[in-house]
Amino acid sequence: MSKPNAIDPNSRLADAQARYSTGAIVLHWLLALAMAFQVAVGFAMPHSGPYSFAPMQLHKSVGIAILLLTLVRLAWRIFRRPPAAVETGWTALAAKIVHWAFYAVLVLGPVTGWIIVSTASLHVPTVLFGVLPWPHLPVPAALNEPMEEVHEALAWIAIGLFVLHVAGALRHQFLLRDPVIARIAPAGSVAAAMALLVATIAIYFAVGSYVAQTYLVPAMADFRAMRAREQAPPAPAPTPAAGPSDEATSTPEPAASATVEAGPPPEWTIAGGRRLAFSVANGGSRVAGRFTDWNGAVTMDPDHPESADIRIGIKLASATVGDATRDAMLRGADFLASSSNRTATWRSTKVTRTGPGRYHASGTLTIRGRSRPQAIAFTLTGKDRERHVAGSATIDRTAFGIGTGEAGESLGTTVALEFSFDATAKAR
Ligand code: HEM
Ligand code: HEM
């Protein structure tokens, strides 16, 4: 096939003036900006620990969006052919190689990233932009490390291609003085394309420095503090402070042995104002959440708490920290395994009054089939048949096998629980 543009200067000019379709232009610049963002987040984010969570979710979301946009771009390319090449010879070949290498990176970058998260030993679900659950690939775990190498190499290749690609475009604009940039510029405006070039580079540096400052710097400070703690001489054993969990190891007395002095204790209905919140140290910060679905049966005479019988049931699947990805993780096998063991239960064994309106209750907590002694402290306010209950407990999550292994590495071992509710005495 002859190449008229190689011999006929008018036809070459016509080719140079031909433009990419609007869809191709929009996708070109969307992908350019997204790639700058993506590579910057990738290099600047911590790769593990509590500070990696938010930027990693964003990185995964934008990365999959890049994959989908690239597939759209390639499909578009089939139906709306690009304008004929302006050049011939080795520069034309170089341009072609760079373009196809870009497409390869745009597909293989996300695919290798997807394989990394699918094979990671820490199972973090992928929920795109916090709303769309994204499946993981059924690929062998042995791929994890090699894919990490390839993934990083692809990012460097993308940077190299960017330099060559932009140099080629600028050569056309300023040395050859042909309107190639206008072919891919919004509304044919070279100024707009230049602004987008500057925006691409600016996004890379601005996003990179923001992510590094917000996540990498505190993650490294945490890491240094942890190393310093490890190297410090061991501190003297702390004097145990009196707290709700202290009695956890004492032998519980059966409630039946208590003397009932004033007739049967009243039964209470757990009414409004219901709140059951938890929090746990996570690196230098805390993760806080709550259970939205729980209930209980309370039989207790506030003046004679010895005869109390309190039973609480908590739907583990109702645990939420207000973030779809972390919630999915919380309900997964590494934490609450809430699909298989649905309810956590606590039942009092002995309730004593420790001051006016203040109580201490020993009891048994059962989670994931494991039962352990667990004390709680609570206060009662209000009077007669309308009371308000507020209390707390400190739970050793490791006793229940919650968050073991890599999943719980950065988490504190004790989980602070706080609850409150209104209680109404049932009419006898
Ligand atoms: C990471 C950023 C970028 C990526 C991934 C990228 C990717 C691509 C790809 C794959 C093509 C080929 C389109 C096709 O024919 O299918 C292309 C064309 C083009 N790009 Fe980019 N690009 C990026 C940034 C830029 C920048 C910043 C400029 C501006 C200076 C630019 C200027 C051009 C031009 C002028 C063409 C058309 C070349 C021609 O008409 O033969 N690109 N780009
Ligand atoms: C074109 C798209 C993508 C680009 C350019 C990109 C770029 C990067 C870069 C530059 C890094 C840092 C590499 C290092 O310093 O070791 C990185 C790490 C990472 N990326 Fe991507 N990424 C893309 C898509 C994805 C996707 C779609 C996912 C997952 C669904 C993903 C998951 C990861 C993971 C898990 C890491 C950390 C790997 C490690 O611990 O070494 N990436 N990415």
Side-chain angles (χ1 to χ4, degrees):
M1 213 177 88
S2 69
K3 284 221 167 202
N5 58 352
I7 42 168
D8 175 358
N10 290 330
S11 159
R12 269 192 70 170
L13 186 65
D15 280 347
Q17 282 169 344
R19 299 192 48 232
Y20 277 85
S21 60
T22 308
I25 294 173
V26 169
L27 286 164
H28 174 269
W29 290 106
L30 262 182
L31 281 167
L33 297 170
M35 275 298 276
F37 183 96
Q38 183 69 354
V39 176
V41 173
F43 280 134
M45 69 187 181
H47 289 184
S48 60
Y51 288 102
S52 70
F53 206 88
M56 183 64 87
Q57 287 304 322
L58 186 63
H59 183 78
K60 294 196 285 183
S61 304
V62 174
I64 296 295
I66 288 176
L67 176 63
L68 300 178
L69 281 177
T70 304
L71 297 180
V72 172
R73 171 69 188 105
L74 288 170
W76 188 278
R77 208 177 181 284
I78 295 172
F79 297 109
R80 297 291 299 270
R81 302 297 305 158
V86 177
E87 288 179 288
T88 51
W90 76 269
T91 46
L93 183 68
K96 218 172 183 164
I97 291 173
V98 167
H99 292 171
W100 283 106
F102 254 146
Y103 284 128
V105 168
L106 288 165
V107 172
L108 294 179
V111 169
T112 50
W114 195 2
I115 295 176
I116 298 173
V117 294
S118 304
T119 52
S121 52
L122 175 58
H123 308 288
V124 182
T126 299
V127 183
L128 302 182
F129 299 104
V131 288
L132 184 68
W134 188 255
H136 283 170
L137 297 164
V139 284
L143 285 180
N144 188 268
E145 275 188 31
M147 284 304 134
E148 279 188 8
E149 299 295 323
V150 175
H151 194 68
E152 186 186 354
L154 285 169
W156 284 110
I157 291 173
I159 292 175
L161 290 172
F162 179 81
V163 172
L164 292 174
H165 186 65
V166 171
L170 296 180
R171 171 175 163 268
H172 278 282
Q173 186 65 25
F174 297 109
L175 295 181
L176 305 180
R177 296 186 183 275
D178 59 29
V180 164
I181 288 186
R183 283 155 57 105
I184 201 119
S189 156
V190 173
M194 290 303 178
L196 284 164
L197 163 65
V198 172
T200 308
I201 296 170
I203 280 187
Y204 179 79
F205 287 104
V207 168
S209 85
Y210 175 80
V211 170
Q213 281 302 320
T214 316
Y215 301 103
L216 194 61
V217 169
M220 285 171 67
D222 251 27
F223 180 72
R224 276 195 296 273
M226 194 185 77
R227 289 289 295 275
R229 274 199 303 276
E230 277 171 9
Q231 282 159 11
T239 330
S245 61
D246 292 339
E247 218 180 293
T249 47
S250 68
T251 326
E253 272 176 43
S257 70
T259 26
V260 179
E261 291 174 40
E267 284 177 35
W268 300 82
T269 307
I270 296 182
R274 195 183 287 225
R275 178 172 169 272
L276 177 56
F278 60 86
S279 76
V280 58
N282 185 23
S285 59
R286 285 191 85 77
V287 182
R290 66 202 169 88
F291 291 94
T292 55
D293 189 357
W294 60 278
N295 216 331
V298 181
T299 305
M300 175 175 155
D301 179 345
D303 297 327
H304 302 283
E306 306 77 24
S307 60
D309 181 15
I310 308 172
R311 300 169 196 213
I312 305 290
I314 305 163
K315 277 256 170 61
L316 290 175
S318 76
T320 173
V321 290
D323 167 306
T325 314
R326 290 192 199 208
D327 287 355
M329 213 175 155
L330 199 55
R331 288 167 203 159
D334 290 337
F335 288 92
L336 299 174
S338 49
S339 51
S340 49
N341 295 290
R342 294 228 176 80
T343 318
T345 57
W346 181 81
R347 185 173 179 185
S348 65
T349 46
K350 182 185 176 191
V351 182
T352 49
R353 190 147 54 155
T354 53
R358 307 177 74 82
Y359 300 85
H360 179 274
S362 305
T364 306
L365 179 62
T366 306
I367 312 177
R368 299 172 50 136
R370 298 186 201 193
S371 297
R372 301 280 182 275
Q374 176 66 53
I376 64 174
F378 62 94
T379 59
L380 280 187
T381 48
K383 60 184 173 58
D384 301 333
R385 311 187 78 79
E386 301 293 333
R387 305 290 178 117
H388 182 72
V389 184
S392 63
T394 309
I395 299 174
D396 174 8
R397 66 177 173 84
T398 56
F400 300 94
I402 296 172
T404 47
E406 210 178 321
E409 250 171 27
S410 60
L411 293 179
T413 50
T414 52
V415 177
L417 213 66
E418 278 182 12
F419 57 88
S420 56
F421 57 90
D422 296 326
T424 311
K426 288 185 191 164
R428 287 206 202 150

